[in-house]
Amino acid sequence: MPTNAMHRNYRKTFKTPRRPYEKERLDAELKLVGEYGLRCKREIWRVQYALAKLRKAARTLLTLDPKDPKRIFEGAALLRRMSRYGLLADDELDLDSILQLTTQKLLERRLQTKVYKQGLAKSVHHARVLIRQRHIRVGNQLVNVPSFNVRTSSEKHIDFSTNSPYGQGAPGRNAKKRAASKAAAGDDEE
């Protein structure tokens, strides 16, 4: 009897480099991994793949006539998405500026980077740990994905989650233990 489970066609989210041992690329990737606190090179390749798809879409739209309805409609949608995610400023909203985007620009929009830049974490690595351990929320939504792309509208709403010990939540395991030992020490003195 066949099961009627939902099947989904997963596609690759990254593309490995053509030349695996190119020194300049390896050094540049290692620098990015350190600067943005990434887990592995695949996280860089994923961002580069997303960027390649954006640039490809912009290139195909640029080949069309400026009055073409497809270019007008899809170009406006693409530019709106770029400005919503803070990848393009308001003065550079044209298809040519999408071709100027860099990997660093996309990595700057990650939740992990934003948590560190806003001073909620001591380092990018600390920021990643805080996010994975469910201490960070964006608006009212708890987010535990370090690669979450933050929109410009929700950038102001990044904060500690309500039930986190760092926020307004109950104290953590060590804080409770410390309080209990202090209370016991206080009882012994009396």
Side-chain angles (χ1 to χ4, degrees):
M1 177 105 184
T3 59
N4 55 354
M6 237 338 233
H7 292 293
R8 175 173 285 160
N9 276 329
Y10 291 106
R11 58 185 58 81
K12 283 202 113 166
T13 55
F14 66 96
K15 189 172 182 293
T16 55
R18 277 209 191 96
R19 295 182 170 189
Y21 302 111
E22 205 172 13
K23 185 160 177 34
E24 292 81 34
R25 183 189 50 77
L26 286 171
D27 293 342
E29 283 176 351
L30 197 61
K31 191 166 182 279
L32 283 178
V33 165
E35 187 182 342
Y36 293 100
L38 306 178
R39 184 174 63 89
C40 58
K41 302 272 182 84
R42 192 188 302 155
E43 292 197 325
I44 294 177
W45 300 337
R46 187 174 61 208
V47 170
Q48 286 172 340
Y49 188 59
L51 181 61
K53 285 209 257 190
L54 288 172
R55 292 175 55 144
K56 185 179 181 183
R59 267 200 315 275
T60 53
L61 289 174
L62 280 167
T63 59
L64 300 172
D65 184 57
K67 297 274 184 275
D68 192 313
K70 180 178 176 169
R71 177 171 169 170
I72 293 168
F73 185 74
E74 289 183 15
L78 189 62
L79 292 171
R80 192 166 49 247
R81 204 162 74 231
M82 295 292 101
S83 70
R84 189 183 297 145
Y85 282 106
L87 296 170
L88 293 178
D90 292 335
D91 58 327
E92 51 185 22
L93 280 181
D94 58 333
L95 290 172
D96 287 317
S97 50
I98 293 178
L99 300 177
Q100 309 299 321
L101 283 176
T102 59
T103 312
Q104 284 91 327
K105 193 104 175 179
L106 264 76
L107 288 171
E108 283 292 331
R109 299 303 309 170
R110 286 165 53 100
L111 179 62
Q112 182 179 355
T113 314
K114 289 291 168 197
V115 167
Y116 170 59
K117 293 274 170 80
Q118 288 187 6
L120 295 175
K122 296 175 186 145
S123 69
V124 276
H125 307 290
H126 185 220
R128 189 180 186 98
V129 170
L130 286 177
I131 294 165
R132 282 304 297 160
Q133 293 177 354
R134 303 165 59 86
H135 290 296
I136 301 294
R137 67 187 162 109
V138 179
N140 291 329
Q141 183 66 51
L142 189 141
V143 183
N144 70 340
V145 182
S147 64
F148 176 82
N149 279 323
V150 182
R151 294 181 175 191
T152 45
S153 57
S154 56
E155 207 170 328
K156 300 177 279 298
H157 307 295
I158 298 172
D159 198 14
F160 289 116
S161 59
T162 47
N163 56 356
S164 161
Y166 296 107
Q168 309 90 304
R173 179 175 55 87
N174 284 330
K176 282 180 192 165
K177 203 186 291 181
R178 227 177 283 123
S181 66
K182 272 188 186 171
D187 291 344
D188 291 346
E189 285 174 10
E190 290 172 7

